[in-house]
Amino acid sequence: MPAFLFAAVFSCLLAAEGWAYKAARVGCHLHSFNVTIRSDHQGTCRGARVIQACVGYCESSAFPSKYSVLLASSFRHNITSVSQCCTISKMQKVKLRLRCGLGPHKTVDIFTAKTCQCDMCRLSRY
């Protein structure tokens, strides 16, 4: 392969890799997705709406435990880990209009994420 052609291909690969890096969002952020709700299995009433979710990642680390932790745990807790999860910090109620064939329309309230943050990892009960 001539050196000129190799350099051209290599520079194109570097440019494409740079674009992919910029396109990927780093951290914890809002992400839109479409949700469809049906009133029953037959879809008598149904509606769709774009809502927001929190996606991404947050910092985590693991390190050898301090001597005081080792003593307090009878030397069973030899690794300490610290982590956070990408989670919803504020939610917003939005209306979703359900179309019911030729019958009257119905409106239901659903939730969407308004803001996201890295926070303590826990089970959420929404």
Side-chain angles (χ1 to χ4, degrees):
M1 176 183 281
F4 168 76
L5 185 57
F6 178 78
V9 170
F10 186 70
S11 64
C12 287
L13 288 174
L14 285 178
E17 185 176 306
W19 291 331
Y21 179 75
K22 289 178 184 175
R25 302 271 319 260
V26 178
C28 177
H29 57 275
L30 289 170
H31 179 73
S32 300
F33 70 99
N34 194 28
V35 64
T36 300
I37 295 179
R38 294 183 295 173
S39 61
D40 52 32
H41 290 295
Q42 292 78 27
T44 306
C45 297
R46 66 183 303 160
R49 182 182 173 105
V50 174
I51 62 171
Q52 303 285 325
C54 293
V55 299
Y57 60 90
C58 303
E59 299 237 356
S60 66
S61 61
F63 46 89
S65 297
K66 294 180 182 178
Y67 187 70
S68 59
V69 173
L70 291 171
L71 285 176
S73 68
S74 300
F75 292 87
R76 287 189 311 263
H77 188 86
N78 57 1
I79 297 173
T80 299
S81 61
V82 179
S83 61
Q84 291 189 321
C85 294
C86 181
T87 188
I88 297 172
S89 54
K90 289 185 183 173
M91 291 197 319
Q92 179 178 4
K93 194 183 293 187
V94 294
K95 299 207 178 288
L96 173 64
R97 188 174 181 183
L98 300 177
R99 292 189 176 92
C100 303
L102 299 175
H105 297 302
K106 296 180 181 180
T107 303
V108 294
D109 291 330
I110 60 172
F111 287 96
T112 184
K114 191 170 181 181
T115 59
C116 304
Q117 71 180 23
C118 291
D119 199 359
M120 182 176 68
C121 300
R122 60 180 168 266
L123 293 174
S124 296
R125 292 171 30 193
Y126 291 113

